[in-house]
Amino acid sequence: MSEQRPGPDIDTSVSHVARIWNYWLGGKDNYPVDREVGDQILGMLPDVARLARASRLFLNRVVWHLAAEAGIRQFIDIGTGLPTVDNTHEVAQRAAPESRIVYVDNDPLVLEHAKALLTSTPEGHTSYIHADLREPEAILEGAAETLDFGRPVAFTLMGILEFIPDDEQAYGIVRRLMAAVPSGSYFAMYDGTNVVHGEASDRIVEVWNAAGNAQLVLRTPERIAGFFEGLEVLEPGIVPVTHWRPETPGQPEAVDAYGAVGRKP
């Protein structure tokens, strides 16, 4: 595997969330420390690689539904991660070329690769904000340069709220974001759980928190439901991401990531 040349603000001695995820998805934007921790976790629970792929497909299905069926034309993708196949703007603009997408992340490596996210159809637009989820006002201010907050907006926060361990702080961030957008806007997310694999998932969190750059917490489906207070949750509700409107018949095997989509009434 060819090595990436780190930028001045990238610490390659500590494993990083986005880079480990990139490794599990088959990408090349990672370093030996990321692969070491990634392999350690895979050795404990090989299903993690399937969870990574399943959560990406969940994002794709959600964005397609919102753009193709719900008529959403504005998206804010917070916790973007490293560019891969079928990024949010690619899915949304396939359904509606005029879609406008704002990407948000606080990872300097993602910032270096942001140019790959800034492609767009001529009819639409994409932009990138280097900001932290804990500063929702900065995100909203930056997004307002690209989006019209007088029209519905969809927020996608995939696997990012689990890095804010305090429930009330995390709920408060979501409430602030949703308060800034009108009726008909959407909120979509997933968080990790230990519903499927129990203690194995708990052990993975211990390894991650000992080696990674951001502390991770698992939430129960009941705690995840707290993010959707005041919103109309779309069917099939808060479920494993593999069970959210799967494209193939039957019930796919569950993974330890539960998510949902909610609409602001």
Side-chain angles (χ1 to χ4, degrees):
M1 179 180 292
S2 62
E3 290 298 325
Q4 302 297 311
R5 296 181 62 184
D9 297 323
I10 298 172
D11 185 355
T12 62
S13 67
V14 178
S15 60
H16 197 285
V17 173
R19 300 193 310 246
I20 294 174
W21 210 253
N22 176 266
Y23 173 52
W24 286 338
L25 289 171
K28 297 181 179 180
D29 296 312
N30 48 76
Y31 300 96
V33 66
D34 307 307
R35 298 192 285 276
E36 180 181 349
V37 174
D39 285 340
Q40 183 179 0
I41 292 174
L42 285 173
M44 299 168 63
L45 184 60
D47 195 56
V48 166
R50 190 170 72 88
L51 184 153
R53 294 189 295 270
S55 62
R56 188 70 188 186
L57 292 173
F58 171 65
L59 169 65
N60 294 165
R61 295 195 304 277
V62 167
V63 171
W64 180 263
H65 168 76
L66 293 176
E69 300 179 36
I72 296 297
R73 298 294 179 264
Q74 303 188 113
F75 294 82
I76 303 180
D77 183 332
I78 304 176
T80 299
L82 292 163
T84 182
V85 177
D86 277 346
N87 299 293
T88 297
H89 74 281
E90 294 168 320
V91 176
Q93 291 180 345
R94 272 203 302 272
E98 69 274 24
S99 297
R100 302 175 73 84
I101 293 87
V102 174
Y103 289 107
V104 183
D105 208 297
N106 69 344
D107 180 356
L109 184 61
V110 177
L111 177 62
E112 283 204 347
H113 287 262
K115 288 183 180 178
L117 295 170
L118 298 182
T119 58
S120 175
T121 59
E123 304 94 327
H125 186 81
T126 63
S127 63
Y128 180 85
I129 303 171
H130 188 69
D132 194 292
L133 176 59
R134 295 172 181 84
E135 301 172 348
E137 299 300 337
I139 294 173
L140 293 168
E141 181 180 349
E145 297 180 9
T146 299
L147 307 181
D148 176 3
F149 281 2
R151 298 170 53 223
V153 175
F155 290 96
T156 60
L157 284 78
M158 302 297 182
I160 183 67
L161 287 161
E162 59 194 8
F163 294 103
I164 300 181
D166 181 80
D167 281 0
E168 287 310 311
Q169 182 185 11
Y171 295 156
I173 290 169
V174 172
R175 286 195 295 267
R176 177 63 193 95
L177 294 173
M178 295 306 295
V181 294
S183 173
S185 294
Y186 286 83
F187 166 68
M189 60 83 69
Y190 76 81
D191 260 359
T193 70
N194 64 358
V195 173
V196 179
H197 294 291
E199 292 183 3
S201 291
D202 292 333
R203 288 197 300 273
I204 286 173
V205 171
E206 292 176 3
V207 171
W208 187 290
N209 288 346
N213 71 312
Q215 296 296 291
L216 169 68
V217 65
L218 300 180
R219 288 190 168 95
T220 63
E222 291 76 19
R223 289 168 67 192
I224 291 173
F227 290 110
F228 294 89
E229 183 177 348
L231 302 180
E232 300 168 347
V233 179
L234 275 59
E235 292 294 336
I238 298 167
V239 295
V241 295
T242 47
H243 294 179
W244 198 89
R245 306 191 180 190
E247 295 179 349
T248 55
Q251 185 82 311
E253 186 178 351
V255 295
D256 256 333
Y258 273 59
V261 179
R263 181 184 182 276
K264 183 174 181 177

